[in-house]
Amino acid sequence: MANRRKTDMTKRMMAFLVCLACVFAVYLLSTGLPHKEETTSKGAKFTVPDRPVDTAESERIYQSMCIACHGDQLQGAVGPELAHIGGTMTKEQLFKKISSGGGGMPAFQSRLTEDELVTIVTWLASHQ
Ligand code: HEC
């Protein structure tokens, strides 16, 4: 009888450890992956330089390249709404999405200079 109880305890301990491992795995996934995304192909940490928002220049770029898919009020059309994108994406994630595209979004790295990319990223990041 005492032996049987001991086996139950072991089972419970095992179940607890498995749960703990799962929680840890989810934690690693949620914190580890975005970091990976923000590193360059060379593995160096990539950061978008801090700049004041240049609304006029950003609107010029937006109107000529983004408006057709994201709407005149950033409300979205073919592409998703961007009016509050600064609250959900970091500047690094924005830079990567706009320069590399993907999922129906065109890549702009050959159509915009790095300077223009930083300008539009800074402007979008201010839309929270
Ligand atoms: C041909 C249509 C098209 C054009 C032009 C376009 N986009 Fe997009 N964009 C999309 C689509 C479609 C997605 C969704 C991609 C996905 O789900 O991965 C998207 C996604 C995005 C996202 C990520 C939004 C999110 O919620 O995940 C950002 C930021 C973005 N676009 C910015 C821009 C900017 C800035 C420009 C102009 C320089 C631009 N887009 C031009 C179609 C377009």
Side-chain angles (χ1 to χ4, degrees), residues 62 65-83 97-98 104-106 108 124:
Y62 185 84
M65 306 218 163
C66 323
I67 203 165
C69 295
H70 291 283
D72 59 352
Q73 303 293 316
L74 289 87
Q75 77 275 27
V78 182
E81 185 235 297
L82 299 176
K97 186 75 197 182
I98 300 164
M105 164 79 186
F108 283 92
L124 281 176

Side-chain angles (χ1 to χ4, degrees), residues 56-69:
E57 172 70 355
S58 301
E59 284 179 350
R60 185 191 66 74
I61 299 169
Y62 185 84
Q63 278 160 17
S64 66
M65 306 218 163
C66 323
I67 203 165
C69 295

